[in-house]
Amino acid sequence: MSSSGPGNVGIVIVSHSPKIAEGAADMVRQMVGDAVPLAWTGGDVDGGLGTNVAGILKAIETAWSPAGVAILVDLGGAETNSEMAVEMLPEGRRARVLVCNAPVVEGAVIAATESSGGSSLAAVKRSAEEFYA
Amino acid sequence: MHDANANRAAQTFVPLTASAVLVNPVGLHARPSVKLTQCAKGFAAKIEIALAVDGPWTDAKSPVKVMRVKAPQGATLYFRVAGPDGKAALAAVLALVHDGFGEA
């Protein structure tokens, strides 16, 4: 579910479906490699489709990097729960976690590619969001 | 900041150009695009690609832009590189294309 590379922006994948989240993470690992901290989470607390704040917080912790963390989400609740999770972070970390407005799979691969080159959190987010530009 | 440095570097170096034919079966699709941008990001030089000798030129360090080029197998990929490490950068990206991005 995770692994790390110091210094590079971490990537968190949040989907209503754990299979989608895990699959997107697989794509990132295979296409981009291991130089980027990465974690995924999906499903509600009962194991159904949905997202949960605790799971997102845990994923942020797993993918944490001093350079920050970019979160890729799918629909509605994934975004609001991710924003809630960011609000619950210690104050020093809050500003270093950003939710990207990008498609979850493509955005995760692009964000990780950008991160693997040592780019800043802002550059990682900008690159992922180019998909909708 | 990095881009600004690359631009400054580009201004003081004569651009190097070269081309290579895409040999891997699906062309410059997702995975090769990621490999190309990762390779390009390893250099300070400004690195651009195009499907024609006179452009339009695309920033090789932008994964989204590189994927949008949609270069098919058999296409000739043109490179324009400018910067202090331009020579090494050009050699590295050409090697990647010649090698079929490791998947030919």
Side-chain angles (χ1 to χ4, degrees):
Chain A
M1 180 171 164
S2 71
S3 115
S4 68
N8 288 335
V9 171
I11 308 295
V12 165
I13 299 165
V14 182
S15 170
H16 280 62
S17 158
K19 289 181 186 171
I20 287 176
E22 184 178 15
D26 285 347
M27 282 182 66
V28 169
R29 276 286 172 251
Q30 205 188 101
M31 294 176 69
V32 182
D34 294 326
V36 178
L38 173 71
W40 60 270
T41 178
D44 63 19
V45 286
D46 300 318
L49 293 178
T51 59
N52 70 89
V53 176
I56 297 167
L57 277 169
K58 199 175 156 206
I60 293 171
E61 183 63 35
T62 303
W64 182 257
S65 156
V69 170
I71 306 181
L72 280 302
V73 300
D74 58 7
L75 302 164
E79 185 174 9
T80 51
N81 277 340
S82 293
E83 284 165 354
M84 207 178 295
V86 172
E87 286 298 310
M88 290 167 72
L89 289 170
E91 205 178 332
R93 290 192 165 191
R94 228 171 281 158
R96 284 189 279 168
V97 181
L98 296 176
V99 179
C100 301
N101 178 24
V104 65
V105 179
E106 297 89 330
V109 172
I110 296 302
T113 303
E114 197 65 56
S115 166
S116 71
S119 299
S120 68
L121 177 59
V124 167
K125 182 173 189 273
R126 202 181 317 124
S127 198
E129 294 182 348
E130 269 185 60
F131 256 101
Y132 284 157
Chain B
M1 201 175 91
H2 184 259
D3 284 352
N5 287 338
N7 285 338
R8 204 174 311 127
Q11 282 162 15
T12 51
F13 288 87
V14 178
L16 306 170
T17 55
S19 65
V21 175
L22 287 169
V23 293
N24 53 309
V26 267
L28 202 54
H29 65 123
R31 198 186 315 247
S33 296
V34 168
K35 282 188 179 162
L36 179 62
T37 51
Q38 281 182 323
C39 176
K41 279 171 180 293
F43 296 93
K46 181 174 184 173
I47 304 171
E48 296 167 297
I49 60 166
L51 288 177
V53 70
D54 53 353
W57 295 96
T58 297
D59 180 4
K61 295 182 184 182
S62 164
V64 174
K65 287 178 185 144
V66 170
M67 279 182 210
R68 282 193 186 138
V69 172
K70 292 187 178 157
Q73 182 188 27
T76 300
L77 202 58
Y78 294 86
F79 288 96
R80 187 168 73 178
V81 178
D85 53 0
K87 211 172 166 183
L90 190 59
V93 291
L94 285 174
L96 204 53
V97 177
H98 287 142
D99 184 42
F101 300 91
E103 58 180 36

PDB file of all heavy atoms in Angstrom, chain A residues 30-33 109-110 113-114 116-117 119 127 130-133, chain B residues 3 30-31 33-35 37-38 41 61-65 67-68:
ATOM      1  N   GLN A  30       4.133   1.256 -11.570  1.00  0.00           N
ATOM      2  CA  GLN A  30       4.712   0.629 -12.752  1.00  0.00           C
ATOM      3  C   GLN A  30       5.217   1.660 -13.763  1.00  0.00           C
ATOM      4  O   GLN A  30       6.256   1.465 -14.382  1.00  0.00           O
ATOM      5  CB  GLN A  30       3.687  -0.300 -13.400  1.00  0.00           C
ATOM      6  CG  GLN A  30       4.361  -1.398 -14.211  1.00  0.00           C
ATOM      7  CD  GLN A  30       3.371  -2.199 -15.005  1.00  0.00           C
ATOM      8  OE1 GLN A  30       3.199  -1.998 -16.199  1.00  0.00           O
ATOM      9  NE2 GLN A  30       2.716  -3.125 -14.330  1.00  0.00           N
ATOM     10  N   MET A  31       4.485   2.753 -13.920  1.00  0.00           N
ATOM     11  CA  MET A  31       4.866   3.742 -14.940  1.00  0.00           C
ATOM     12  C   MET A  31       5.892   4.735 -14.448  1.00  0.00           C
ATOM     13  O   MET A  31       6.725   5.195 -15.213  1.00  0.00           O
ATOM     14  CB  MET A  31       3.624   4.495 -15.432  1.00  0.00           C
ATOM     15  CG  MET A  31       2.647   3.600 -16.177  1.00  0.00           C
ATOM     16  SD  MET A  31       1.159   4.473 -16.652  1.00  0.00           S
ATOM     17  CE  MET A  31       1.800   5.576 -17.891  1.00  0.00           C
ATOM     18  N   VAL A  32       5.809   5.106 -13.198  1.00  0.00           N
ATOM     19  CA  VAL A  32       6.667   6.173 -12.687  1.00  0.00           C
ATOM     20  C   VAL A  32       7.813   5.631 -11.831  1.00  0.00           C
ATOM     21  O   VAL A  32       8.899   6.188 -11.826  1.00  0.00           O
ATOM     22  CB  VAL A  32       5.836   7.201 -11.876  1.00  0.00           C
ATOM     23  CG1 VAL A  32       6.704   8.332 -11.374  1.00  0.00           C
ATOM     24  CG2 VAL A  32       4.695   7.745 -12.731  1.00  0.00           C
ATOM     25  N   GLY A  33       7.564   4.542 -11.121  1.00  0.00           N
ATOM     26  CA  GLY A  33       8.621   3.954 -10.304  1.00  0.00           C
ATOM     27  C   GLY A  33       8.444   4.221  -8.823  1.00  0.00           C
ATOM     28  O   GLY A  33       7.372   4.607  -8.378  1.00  0.00           O
ATOM     29  N   VAL A 109      -0.895   9.608 -12.169  1.00  0.00           N
ATOM     30  CA  VAL A 109       0.303   9.273 -12.950  1.00  0.00           C
ATOM     31  C   VAL A 109       1.083  10.553 -13.282  1.00  0.00           C
ATOM     32  O   VAL A 109       2.309  10.598 -13.124  1.00  0.00           O
ATOM     33  CB  VAL A 109      -0.069   8.520 -14.249  1.00  0.00           C
ATOM     34  CG1 VAL A 109       1.157   8.353 -15.150  1.00  0.00           C
ATOM     35  CG2 VAL A 109      -0.664   7.151 -13.910  1.00  0.00           C
ATOM     36  N   ILE A 110       0.369  11.587 -13.714  1.00  0.00           N
ATOM     37  CA  ILE A 110       1.043  12.839 -14.076  1.00  0.00           C
ATOM     38  C   ILE A 110       1.659  13.497 -12.840  1.00  0.00           C
ATOM     39  O   ILE A 110       2.805  13.955 -12.872  1.00  0.00           O
ATOM     40  CB  ILE A 110       0.043  13.820 -14.738  1.00  0.00           C
ATOM     41  CG1 ILE A 110      -0.469  13.228 -16.057  1.00  0.00           C
ATOM     42  CG2 ILE A 110       0.682  15.177 -14.963  1.00  0.00           C
ATOM     43  CD1 ILE A 110       0.575  12.907 -17.070  1.00  0.00           C
ATOM     44  N   THR A 113       4.712  11.644 -11.914  1.00  0.00           N
ATOM     45  CA  THR A 113       5.793  11.910 -12.871  1.00  0.00           C
ATOM     46  C   THR A 113       6.460  13.235 -12.539  1.00  0.00           C
ATOM     47  O   THR A 113       7.686  13.345 -12.491  1.00  0.00           O
ATOM     48  CB  THR A 113       5.241  11.967 -14.310  1.00  0.00           C
ATOM     49  OG1 THR A 113       4.578  10.734 -14.593  1.00  0.00           O
ATOM     50  CG2 THR A 113       6.356  12.180 -15.320  1.00  0.00           C
ATOM     51  N   GLU A 114       5.624  14.244 -12.308  1.00  0.00           N
ATOM     52  CA  GLU A 114       6.140  15.568 -11.956  1.00  0.00           C
ATOM     53  C   GLU A 114       6.940  15.498 -10.651  1.00  0.00           C
ATOM     54  O   GLU A 114       8.037  16.038 -10.561  1.00  0.00           O
ATOM     55  CB  GLU A 114       4.957  16.529 -11.813  1.00  0.00           C
ATOM     56  CG  GLU A 114       5.309  17.989 -11.842  1.00  0.00           C
ATOM     57  CD  GLU A 114       5.875  18.448 -13.171  1.00  0.00           C
ATOM     58  OE1 GLU A 114       5.218  18.260 -14.195  1.00  0.00           O
ATOM     59  OE2 GLU A 114       6.980  19.009 -13.183  1.00  0.00           O
ATOM     60  N   SER A 116       8.431  12.927  -9.350  1.00  0.00           N
ATOM     61  CA  SER A 116       9.665  12.125  -9.471  1.00  0.00           C
ATOM     62  C   SER A 116      10.818  12.959 -10.014  1.00  0.00           C
ATOM     63  O   SER A 116      11.977  12.609  -9.844  1.00  0.00           O
ATOM     64  CB  SER A 116       9.426  10.908 -10.367  1.00  0.00           C
ATOM     65  OG  SER A 116       9.283  11.295 -11.720  1.00  0.00           O
ATOM     66  N   GLY A 117      10.497  14.083 -10.676  1.00  0.00           N
ATOM     67  CA  GLY A 117      11.542  14.970 -11.165  1.00  0.00           C
ATOM     68  C   GLY A 117      11.949  16.012 -10.130  1.00  0.00           C
ATOM     69  O   GLY A 117      12.706  16.921 -10.433  1.00  0.00           O
ATOM     70  N   SER A 119       9.897  18.175  -8.555  1.00  0.00           N
ATOM     71  CA  SER A 119       9.137  19.428  -8.617  1.00  0.00           C
ATOM     72  C   SER A 119       8.460  19.753  -7.290  1.00  0.00           C
ATOM     73  O   SER A 119       8.225  18.875  -6.461  1.00  0.00           O
ATOM     74  CB  SER A 119       8.063  19.322  -9.705  1.00  0.00           C
ATOM     75  OG  SER A 119       8.660  19.114 -10.969  1.00  0.00           O
ATOM     76  N   SER A 127       0.578  20.534 -12.827  1.00  0.00           N
ATOM     77  CA  SER A 127       0.756  19.568 -13.904  1.00  0.00           C
ATOM     78  C   SER A 127      -0.432  18.602 -13.973  1.00  0.00           C
ATOM     79  O   SER A 127      -0.961  18.324 -15.052  1.00  0.00           O
ATOM     80  CB  SER A 127       2.065  18.798 -13.680  1.00  0.00           C
ATOM     81  OG  SER A 127       2.476  18.185 -14.862  1.00  0.00           O
ATOM     82  N   GLU A 130      -3.425  20.120 -15.531  1.00  0.00           N
ATOM     83  CA  GLU A 130      -3.350  20.428 -16.966  1.00  0.00           C
ATOM     84  C   GLU A 130      -4.315  19.559 -17.766  1.00  0.00           C
ATOM     85  O   GLU A 130      -4.678  19.888 -18.889  1.00  0.00           O
ATOM     86  CB  GLU A 130      -1.935  20.194 -17.487  1.00  0.00           C
ATOM     87  CG  GLU A 130      -1.038  21.411 -17.421  1.00  0.00           C
ATOM     88  CD  GLU A 130       0.312  21.143 -18.063  1.00  0.00           C
ATOM     89  OE1 GLU A 130       0.343  20.815 -19.263  1.00  0.00           O
ATOM     90  OE2 GLU A 130       1.306  21.236 -17.349  1.00  0.00           O
ATOM     91  N   PHE A 131      -4.713  18.430 -17.195  1.00  0.00           N
ATOM     92  CA  PHE A 131      -5.642  17.549 -17.891  1.00  0.00           C
ATOM     93  C   PHE A 131      -6.979  18.222 -18.162  1.00  0.00           C
ATOM     94  O   PHE A 131      -7.662  17.912 -19.119  1.00  0.00           O
ATOM     95  CB  PHE A 131      -5.872  16.256 -17.095  1.00  0.00           C
ATOM     96  CG  PHE A 131      -5.154  15.102 -17.678  1.00  0.00           C
ATOM     97  CD1 PHE A 131      -3.966  14.660 -17.132  1.00  0.00           C
ATOM     98  CD2 PHE A 131      -5.632  14.468 -18.813  1.00  0.00           C
ATOM     99  CE1 PHE A 131      -3.285  13.604 -17.699  1.00  0.00           C
ATOM    100  CE2 PHE A 131      -4.957  13.404 -19.375  1.00  0.00           C
ATOM    101  CZ  PHE A 131      -3.773  12.971 -18.817  1.00  0.00           C
ATOM    102  N   TYR A 132      -7.371  19.137 -17.282  1.00  0.00           N
ATOM    103  CA  TYR A 132      -8.637  19.831 -17.473  1.00  0.00           C
ATOM    104  C   TYR A 132      -8.427  21.203 -18.104  1.00  0.00           C
ATOM    105  O   TYR A 132      -9.365  21.944 -18.305  1.00  0.00           O
ATOM    106  CB  TYR A 132      -9.357  19.997 -16.130  1.00  0.00           C
ATOM    107  CG  TYR A 132     -10.008  18.729 -15.625  1.00  0.00           C
ATOM    108  CD1 TYR A 132     -10.289  18.552 -14.274  1.00  0.00           C
ATOM    109  CD2 TYR A 132     -10.347  17.706 -16.502  1.00  0.00           C
ATOM    110  CE1 TYR A 132     -10.894  17.392 -13.808  1.00  0.00           C
ATOM    111  CE2 TYR A 132     -10.947  16.542 -16.038  1.00  0.00           C
ATOM    112  CZ  TYR A 132     -11.217  16.396 -14.694  1.00  0.00           C
ATOM    113  OH  TYR A 132     -11.814  15.259 -14.237  1.00  0.00           O
ATOM    114  N   ALA A 133      -7.186  21.528 -18.409  1.00  0.00           N
ATOM    115  CA  ALA A 133      -6.895  22.869 -18.944  1.00  0.00           C
ATOM    116  C   ALA A 133      -7.202  22.921 -20.435  1.00  0.00           C
ATOM    117  O   ALA A 133      -7.212  21.918 -21.102  1.00  0.00           O
ATOM    118  CB  ALA A 133      -5.455  23.228 -18.688  1.00  0.00           C
TER     119      ALA A 133
ATOM    120  N   ASP B   3      12.019  26.684 -14.526  1.00  0.00           N
ATOM    121  CA  ASP B   3      11.759  27.070 -15.904  1.00  0.00           C
ATOM    122  C   ASP B   3      12.509  28.343 -16.260  1.00  0.00           C
ATOM    123  O   ASP B   3      13.074  28.464 -17.342  1.00  0.00           O
ATOM    124  CB  ASP B   3      10.249  27.283 -16.126  1.00  0.00           C
ATOM    125  CG  ASP B   3       9.519  25.958 -16.225  1.00  0.00           C
ATOM    126  OD1 ASP B   3      10.224  24.936 -16.271  1.00  0.00           O
ATOM    127  OD2 ASP B   3       8.290  25.953 -16.228  1.00  0.00           O
ATOM    128  N   ALA B  30       1.372   6.626 -23.173  1.00  0.00           N
ATOM    129  CA  ALA B  30       1.530   7.055 -21.781  1.00  0.00           C
ATOM    130  C   ALA B  30       2.880   6.703 -21.164  1.00  0.00           C
ATOM    131  O   ALA B  30       3.594   7.555 -20.665  1.00  0.00           O
ATOM    132  CB  ALA B  30       0.389   6.482 -20.943  1.00  0.00           C
ATOM    133  N   ARG B  31       3.223   5.430 -21.197  1.00  0.00           N
ATOM    134  CA  ARG B  31       4.432   4.995 -20.486  1.00  0.00           C
ATOM    135  C   ARG B  31       5.704   5.640 -21.071  1.00  0.00           C
ATOM    136  O   ARG B  31       6.518   6.175 -20.319  1.00  0.00           O
ATOM    137  CB  ARG B  31       4.522   3.473 -20.484  1.00  0.00           C
ATOM    138  CG  ARG B  31       5.456   2.924 -19.448  1.00  0.00           C
ATOM    139  CD  ARG B  31       5.604   1.428 -19.590  1.00  0.00           C
ATOM    140  NE  ARG B  31       4.328   0.765 -19.788  1.00  0.00           N
ATOM    141  CZ  ARG B  31       3.768  -0.053 -18.906  1.00  0.00           C
ATOM    142  NH1 ARG B  31       4.371  -0.304 -17.777  1.00  0.00           N
ATOM    143  NH2 ARG B  31       2.623  -0.622 -19.173  1.00  0.00           N
ATOM    144  N   SER B  33       5.880   8.403 -22.645  1.00  0.00           N
ATOM    145  CA  SER B  33       5.819   9.834 -22.333  1.00  0.00           C
ATOM    146  C   SER B  33       6.359  10.098 -20.936  1.00  0.00           C
ATOM    147  O   SER B  33       7.091  11.066 -20.713  1.00  0.00           O
ATOM    148  CB  SER B  33       4.381  10.347 -22.421  1.00  0.00           C
ATOM    149  OG  SER B  33       3.888  10.243 -23.732  1.00  0.00           O
ATOM    150  N   VAL B  34       5.974   9.240 -19.996  1.00  0.00           N
ATOM    151  CA  VAL B  34       6.457   9.392 -18.627  1.00  0.00           C
ATOM    152  C   VAL B  34       7.974   9.228 -18.594  1.00  0.00           C
ATOM    153  O   VAL B  34       8.695  10.015 -17.977  1.00  0.00           O
ATOM    154  CB  VAL B  34       5.778   8.369 -17.680  1.00  0.00           C
ATOM    155  CG1 VAL B  34       6.487   8.320 -16.333  1.00  0.00           C
ATOM    156  CG2 VAL B  34       4.309   8.740 -17.485  1.00  0.00           C
ATOM    157  N   LYS B  35       8.473   8.214 -19.300  1.00  0.00           N
ATOM    158  CA  LYS B  35       9.921   7.982 -19.304  1.00  0.00           C
ATOM    159  C   LYS B  35      10.669   9.163 -19.928  1.00  0.00           C
ATOM    160  O   LYS B  35      11.718   9.568 -19.438  1.00  0.00           O
ATOM    161  CB  LYS B  35      10.251   6.698 -20.068  1.00  0.00           C
ATOM    162  CG  LYS B  35       9.971   5.454 -19.244  1.00  0.00           C
ATOM    163  CD  LYS B  35      10.484   4.206 -19.933  1.00  0.00           C
ATOM    164  CE  LYS B  35      10.212   2.984 -19.055  1.00  0.00           C
ATOM    165  NZ  LYS B  35      10.295   1.732 -19.801  1.00  0.00           N
ATOM    166  N   THR B  37       9.679  12.356 -20.125  1.00  0.00           N
ATOM    167  CA  THR B  37       9.663  13.543 -19.266  1.00  0.00           C
ATOM    168  C   THR B  37      10.570  13.348 -18.057  1.00  0.00           C
ATOM    169  O   THR B  37      11.252  14.278 -17.645  1.00  0.00           O
ATOM    170  CB  THR B  37       8.232  13.902 -18.792  1.00  0.00           C
ATOM    171  OG1 THR B  37       7.615  12.758 -18.229  1.00  0.00           O
ATOM    172  CG2 THR B  37       7.383  14.384 -19.941  1.00  0.00           C
ATOM    173  N   GLN B  38      10.595  12.142 -17.505  1.00  0.00           N
ATOM    174  CA  GLN B  38      11.485  11.886 -16.366  1.00  0.00           C
ATOM    175  C   GLN B  38      12.932  12.082 -16.788  1.00  0.00           C
ATOM    176  O   GLN B  38      13.731  12.667 -16.058  1.00  0.00           O
ATOM    177  CB  GLN B  38      11.290  10.458 -15.837  1.00  0.00           C
ATOM    178  CG  GLN B  38      10.053  10.324 -14.962  1.00  0.00           C
ATOM    179  CD  GLN B  38       9.896   8.924 -14.402  1.00  0.00           C
ATOM    180  OE1 GLN B  38      10.191   7.947 -15.080  1.00  0.00           O
ATOM    181  NE2 GLN B  38       9.433   8.828 -13.180  1.00  0.00           N
ATOM    182  N   LYS B  41      13.618  15.818 -17.325  1.00  0.00           N
ATOM    183  CA  LYS B  41      13.670  16.572 -16.068  1.00  0.00           C
ATOM    184  C   LYS B  41      15.012  16.432 -15.365  1.00  0.00           C
ATOM    185  O   LYS B  41      15.338  17.202 -14.474  1.00  0.00           O
ATOM    186  CB  LYS B  41      12.551  16.105 -15.127  1.00  0.00           C
ATOM    187  CG  LYS B  41      11.203  16.724 -15.434  1.00  0.00           C
ATOM    188  CD  LYS B  41      10.143  16.028 -14.598  1.00  0.00           C
ATOM    189  CE  LYS B  41       8.763  16.600 -14.855  1.00  0.00           C
ATOM    190  NZ  LYS B  41       8.651  17.987 -14.392  1.00  0.00           N
ATOM    191  N   LYS B  61       9.484  18.346 -20.814  1.00  0.00           N
ATOM    192  CA  LYS B  61       9.442  18.115 -19.366  1.00  0.00           C
ATOM    193  C   LYS B  61       8.007  18.112 -18.836  1.00  0.00           C
ATOM    194  O   LYS B  61       7.784  17.963 -17.646  1.00  0.00           O
ATOM    195  CB  LYS B  61      10.270  19.181 -18.640  1.00  0.00           C
ATOM    196  CG  LYS B  61      11.755  19.079 -18.980  1.00  0.00           C
ATOM    197  CD  LYS B  61      12.602  20.093 -18.235  1.00  0.00           C
ATOM    198  CE  LYS B  61      14.050  19.995 -18.712  1.00  0.00           C
ATOM    199  NZ  LYS B  61      14.944  20.922 -18.010  1.00  0.00           N
ATOM    200  N   SER B  62       7.027  18.328 -19.724  1.00  0.00           N
ATOM    201  CA  SER B  62       5.624  18.322 -19.311  1.00  0.00           C
ATOM    202  C   SER B  62       4.947  17.022 -19.747  1.00  0.00           C
ATOM    203  O   SER B  62       4.688  16.819 -20.935  1.00  0.00           O
ATOM    204  CB  SER B  62       4.883  19.510 -19.926  1.00  0.00           C
ATOM    205  OG  SER B  62       3.484  19.296 -19.821  1.00  0.00           O
ATOM    206  N   PRO B  63       4.660  16.111 -18.804  1.00  0.00           N
ATOM    207  CA  PRO B  63       4.071  14.824 -19.197  1.00  0.00           C
ATOM    208  C   PRO B  63       2.751  14.966 -19.951  1.00  0.00           C
ATOM    209  O   PRO B  63       2.488  14.235 -20.908  1.00  0.00           O
ATOM    210  CB  PRO B  63       3.878  14.089 -17.868  1.00  0.00           C
ATOM    211  CG  PRO B  63       4.071  15.106 -16.796  1.00  0.00           C
ATOM    212  CD  PRO B  63       4.903  16.212 -17.363  1.00  0.00           C
ATOM    213  N   VAL B  64       1.913  15.925 -19.528  1.00  0.00           N
ATOM    214  CA  VAL B  64       0.615  16.095 -20.194  1.00  0.00           C
ATOM    215  C   VAL B  64       0.815  16.557 -21.640  1.00  0.00           C
ATOM    216  O   VAL B  64       0.195  16.036 -22.573  1.00  0.00           O
ATOM    217  CB  VAL B  64      -0.272  17.104 -19.435  1.00  0.00           C
ATOM    218  CG1 VAL B  64      -1.555  17.378 -20.200  1.00  0.00           C
ATOM    219  CG2 VAL B  64      -0.598  16.569 -18.045  1.00  0.00           C
ATOM    220  N   LYS B  65       1.714  17.535 -21.829  1.00  0.00           N
ATOM    221  CA  LYS B  65       1.950  18.053 -23.177  1.00  0.00           C
ATOM    222  C   LYS B  65       2.580  16.998 -24.076  1.00  0.00           C
ATOM    223  O   LYS B  65       2.227  16.881 -25.257  1.00  0.00           O
ATOM    224  CB  LYS B  65       2.845  19.302 -23.106  1.00  0.00           C
ATOM    225  CG  LYS B  65       2.099  20.508 -22.557  1.00  0.00           C
ATOM    226  CD  LYS B  65       2.994  21.730 -22.449  1.00  0.00           C
ATOM    227  CE  LYS B  65       2.229  22.871 -21.787  1.00  0.00           C
ATOM    228  NZ  LYS B  65       3.080  23.669 -20.916  1.00  0.00           N
ATOM    229  N   MET B  67       2.224  13.738 -23.890  1.00  0.00           N
ATOM    230  CA  MET B  67       1.194  12.752 -24.259  1.00  0.00           C
ATOM    231  C   MET B  67       0.282  13.301 -25.351  1.00  0.00           C
ATOM    232  O   MET B  67      -0.198  12.564 -26.205  1.00  0.00           O
ATOM    233  CB  MET B  67       0.364  12.368 -23.040  1.00  0.00           C
ATOM    234  CG  MET B  67       1.051  11.331 -22.165  1.00  0.00           C
ATOM    235  SD  MET B  67       0.018  10.854 -20.771  1.00  0.00           S
ATOM    236  CE  MET B  67       1.276  10.464 -19.564  1.00  0.00           C
ATOM    237  N   ARG B  68       0.031  14.624 -25.305  1.00  0.00           N
ATOM    238  CA  ARG B  68      -0.868  15.232 -26.294  1.00  0.00           C
ATOM    239  C   ARG B  68      -0.265  15.254 -27.693  1.00  0.00           C
ATOM    240  O   ARG B  68      -0.985  15.441 -28.677  1.00  0.00           O
ATOM    241  CB  ARG B  68      -1.226  16.664 -25.872  1.00  0.00           C
ATOM    242  CG  ARG B  68      -2.283  16.675 -24.783  1.00  0.00           C
ATOM    243  CD  ARG B  68      -2.855  18.068 -24.582  1.00  0.00           C
ATOM    244  NE  ARG B  68      -3.755  18.041 -23.427  1.00  0.00           N
ATOM    245  CZ  ARG B  68      -3.798  18.979 -22.505  1.00  0.00           C
ATOM    246  NH1 ARG B  68      -3.010  20.034 -22.607  1.00  0.00           N
ATOM    247  NH2 ARG B  68      -4.627  18.881 -21.490  1.00  0.00           N
TER     248      ARG B  68
END
